[in-house]
Amino acid sequence: MTNTAEAQQKTKGSAASASDSVSGNLAGRVKEQAAQTVQQAQEQIDAGLQYSSGEMQRLTKEGQAFVRKNPGLAIAGALGVGVLLGLAMRSRF
């Protein structure tokens, strides 16, 4: 081989090596970013579940307290909702 041909081969090899290195770095950064995004999503889901659980407990306590204070009204409300649901379901099925 001539010196020019050898130089071209070395240049091609170096370019391919550099290209592999850049794509490897890019892939690593993409994986890292994806992992961070998944971690953030998991943290937000956990926070949302904790909030929802707390709100459900609060609403349950308030509902129980309301029924204890107003049992007649609670029964009348349940009966009214039942009648409305029954009428709505009857016309559809």
Side-chain angles (χ1 to χ4, degrees):
M1 254 186 193
T2 64
N3 286 337
T4 306
E6 288 176 9
Q8 287 177 348
Q9 286 295 330
K10 287 181 182 178
T11 303
K12 286 181 184 178
S14 295
S17 175
S19 175
D20 289 345
S21 176
V22 168
S23 65
N25 288 339
L26 180 60
R29 287 186 289 179
V30 168
K31 285 181 182 179
E32 183 179 323
Q33 184 65 36
Q36 288 176 354
T37 302
V38 168
Q39 178 69 24
Q40 290 172 351
Q42 184 64 42
E43 289 172 2
Q44 289 179 349
I45 289 170
D46 289 343
L49 287 173
Q50 287 178 351
Y51 176 78
S52 298
S53 177
E55 285 297 304
M56 288 301 294
Q57 289 176 355
R58 184 186 65 81
L59 289 173
T60 299
K61 287 179 184 177
E62 286 181 13
Q64 289 174 346
F66 178 81
V67 170
R68 284 191 184 107
K69 289 179 185 176
N70 307 303
L73 185 58
I75 291 172
L79 180 64
V81 169
V83 168
L84 290 175
L85 284 175
L87 291 173
M89 298 301 260
R90 188 170 114 188
S91 64
R92 293 185 187 241
F93 293 104

